[in-house]
Amino acid sequence: MKRAVAATAVAGLAALGLSGCSDEAKRGFLPATDTTDHTQAISSLWVNSWIVLLGVGIVVWGLTIWSIIAYRRRRGDRSVPAQTRYNLPIEVLYTTVPFILIIGFFVGTVNVQTATEAKATPAYDGADVQVQVVGKQWSWDINYLTDDGAADVHEDAGLQAQYYGGDTFDESDLPTLYLPVGQEVKIKLDSRDVAHSFWVPQFLYKKDLLPGVHNNYWTFTPEKEGTYPVKCAELCGEYHSMMLMNVKVVSATEYEAHLSELRDRGNTGALDDLLDRRQDLKYESNDTESQQSAAAVTEN
């Protein structure tokens, strides 16, 4: 009876503590969980993994503290405690439990990653919007594509962040990728020179850009309007830290108005591969994606 009361009390205290957590703590201190159609699954994997690990930690810490107290040497006791060389059940336990945990984390990670990458293929043509983002030392070029993947309009050629003193810089100078909220977006990721990584922290995901690899895509649906900073997460040279841009998620009306503005400014077509510094990473137009990727791996 006493044990049942104690267990109920502990459970009640735990529930009370969890209910009092801030929104930031509930999402595992991640920057966001509602920005794309994938962030909730990624956040759940992260938070639930930590809950399991904290549970294991509490059991281990509790047993450790209990052993220290229960088996401490009493005053006046000079006897040698019983010497046990092994304990088979305990050894099976602390071998099996970590193995089960690792398998569980692996399966959970694979499931979330598979769902996130399911439509990130050249063959997928169901996206509402197609965009090409091209990394370069040390900025980004942005091309908006038609439904069949042809060049439509483009942003001005990107420039690296310009610092004017201390840690401040003018964000209005940064390249900005416009995306319509609630519409599925397929982004084609390319590099003009070296390896880069397209990272939107609030989207809880990043993808590498490799020179010569032309079958790299990211497909998702932005679900919350706002401006989200983008960073390069792959060390790419001297001014790597200045390779910044923004993703601006807007209404469909504002998105179409922005494309019309680019057309009016004469920004039609694409900032194409003639701007690539690595002109040696070129392939025949009839090369398959796999041939292009295999050659890029060899040349890089």
Side-chain angles (χ1 to χ4, degrees), residues 102-122:
I102 291 170
I103 294 297
F105 293 145
F106 176 79
V107 171
T109 301
V110 168
N111 288 339
V112 171
Q113 186 169 356
T114 300
T116 303
E117 294 284 335
K119 300 177 181 179
T121 64

Side-chain angles (χ1 to χ4, degrees), residues 127-131 144-145 147 179-180 183-187 255:
D128 302 307
V129 173
Q130 295 194 53
V131 182
Y144 298 94
L145 310 177
D147 291 340
L179 298 177
Q183 296 189 29
E184 190 173 60
V185 178
K186 179 180 179 180
I187 301 180
Y255 173 75

Side-chain angles (χ1 to χ4, degrees), residues 30 39 50 64 68 76 84 87 116 133 140-141 143 169 174-175 186 189 215 218 229 232 243 262 265 283 297:
L30 294 173
T39 50
W50 273 109
T64 301
I68 293 172
T84 304
N87 186 308
T116 303
V133 175
W140 311 86
D141 290 335
N143 297 317
F169 60 92
L174 298 180
K186 179 180 179 180
L189 299 166
N215 57 355
W218 183 15
C232 176
M243 190 172 170
L262 293 176
R265 283 163 43 188
Y283 311 97
V297 170

Side-chain angles (χ1 to χ4, degrees), residues 129 131 177-181 185 187 203 220 222 247-250 255:
V129 173
V131 182
L177 169 62
Y178 280 73
L179 298 177
V181 68
V185 178
I187 301 180
F203 291 178
F220 62 93
V247 169
K248 191 169 185 178
V249 180
V250 298
Y255 173 75

Side-chain angles (χ1 to χ4, degrees), residues 250-291:
V250 298
S251 65
T253 302
E254 188 175 348
Y255 173 75
E256 292 298 336
H258 179 68
L259 297 190
S260 297
E261 179 189 351
L262 293 176
R263 292 188 190 95
D264 294 341
R265 283 163 43 188
N267 287 21
T268 55
L271 297 170
D272 58 22
D273 57 14
L274 293 176
L275 299 176
D276 290 2
R277 197 181 77 210
R278 292 291 303 276
Q279 290 293 320
D280 55 317
L281 294 179
K282 294 292 179 286
Y283 311 97
E284 299 297 328
S285 58
N286 59 355
D287 282 350
T288 65
E289 295 280 1
S290 60
Q291 288 173 325

